Amino acid sequence: MKNKRSSAPPSSLNVLFIGNSFTARNDLPRLVATIAAADGRSLSHRLISAGGASLRQHWNKREAAAAIEGGGYDYVVLQEQSTLPVKNAQRMAENVRLFDECIRADGSRTALYMTWARRHAPETQDAITAAYEQIGSELGALVLPVGRVWQAFAQQQHASPAIYDRDGSHPSLAGSYLVACVMYGVLFGQSVVDLQADVAGLTEADRRLLQTAAAAH
C-alpha cells in the first residue's frame, strides 16, 4: 500500500529497483532493507536487473513496465547504464521520460539512482551528476545523489574501506553499503548515523565512516 505524502517519515515503503549490476551487486535492495530494519522501519522490494542493461533495454523488454503497472510501489528507482549519462545525456533523459510516464500513471514516484565515475576517470562525475539532476528537475523526480557522495568519499582517499571493486567500476561491499545509506536517508528522510545496521564483512568502524559520509550529502 502506498504511503500518503506527508512531512512525517514513512514507517514502510514498497520499492521497485530497475537497473543492472550497479544495483544487483551485493544485493543493494537488501542492504537498504537491513538499514531500514535497524531503524524500526521496513522496505519491501523487488529488483529487475540485467547485466550492463540500459533503461531503454529494460523498457523494450517490457518486464519492468509490466511490474510497474498495478505494482502499488511507493517509488520506482531507475538506474541508467553507468556511462550513458556521459556519452549521451539526451538519450538517457528520453529513457527516463518513458519510465516516468508509466510510473506516474500507476500513482508511484520516480527516484533516480545517480551513479559514479569510473575510478580512472573521476572528471566524468560532473557530467553524470548534471544528467541526473537535469532530468530529475524537469520531471520532479527524487534524485538519490549517490554519485556526489561517492565522489566526495573517494576524494578523501581513505585507507579503508575501499568503495570500488577491483575493476575500478563496480562497488565493493563497502561501496554498496555507502549507496544503501544514501538511499535510505533520502527515501525515508532519516539519518543513518549511528544505526546498528550490521553487515557481515564490514567492521563497525567502516560502517560508521560510511554512514557519516552518506549523511553529509
Side-chain angles (χ1 to χ4, degrees):
M1 180 179 294
K2 296 185 181 67
N3 288 277
K4 294 181 179 179
R5 304 287 183 250
S6 71
S7 58
S11 60
S12 64
L13 289 175
N14 185 22
V15 178
L16 173 64
F17 293 83
I18 300 171
N20 55 39
S21 54
F22 276 50
T23 302
R25 184 68 64 90
N26 301 308
D27 198 352
L28 175 62
R30 179 186 59 81
L31 288 175
V32 181
T34 297
I35 294 169
D39 201 21
R41 302 172 193 280
S42 64
L43 176 77
S44 298
H45 53 86
R46 178 181 175 183
L47 170 63
I48 296 178
S49 171
S54 67
L55 289 175
R56 183 63 63 111
Q57 288 172 309
H58 278 297
W59 180 260
N60 291 340
K61 191 176 179 181
R62 303 303 298 168
E63 178 187 3
I68 293 167
E69 296 167 1
Y73 295 102
D74 294 290
Y75 290 100
V76 178
V77 176
L78 303 177
Q79 179 244 311
E80 183 57 275
Q81 194 278 334
S82 58
T83 61
L84 187 61
V86 179
K87 295 177 179 177
N88 194 337
Q90 181 177 349
R91 179 70 166 181
M92 171 192 160
E94 293 170 356
N95 297 345
V96 172
R97 290 188 193 104
L98 288 172
F99 272 102
D100 183 69
E101 183 176 356
C102 180
I103 291 166
R104 288 176 182 272
D106 189 59
S108 303
R109 187 177 179 191
T110 300
L112 303 177
Y113 170 10
M114 178 198 297
T115 54
W116 52 87
R118 298 289 197 268
R119 183 166 52 198
H120 71 274
E123 70 280 0
T124 62
Q125 185 61 53
D126 288 347
I128 296 170
T129 298
Y132 276 94
E133 290 184 342
Q134 286 172 9
I135 190 61
S137 177
E138 174 191 322
L139 300 175
L142 185 66
V143 178
L144 307 171
V146 173
R148 287 197 283 107
V149 173
W150 187 287
Q151 180 183 46
F153 190 89
Q155 288 174 341
Q156 292 170 12
Q157 298 182 332
H158 296 282
S160 67
I163 54 176
Y164 282 102
D165 205 349
R166 286 176 292 181
D167 64 4
S169 172
H170 289 91
S172 65
L173 176 59
S176 292
Y177 188 81
L178 178 62
V179 177
C181 286
V182 175
M183 287 188 171
Y184 175 74
V186 177
L187 292 173
F188 283 86
Q190 294 289 92
S191 174
V192 296
V193 176
D194 295 330
L195 288 182
Q196 297 301 310
D198 296 343
V199 173
L202 294 178
T203 67
E204 181 178 354
D206 288 344
R207 287 189 286 103
R208 288 183 179 275
L209 183 61
L210 295 165
Q211 289 171 351
T212 300
H217 71 82

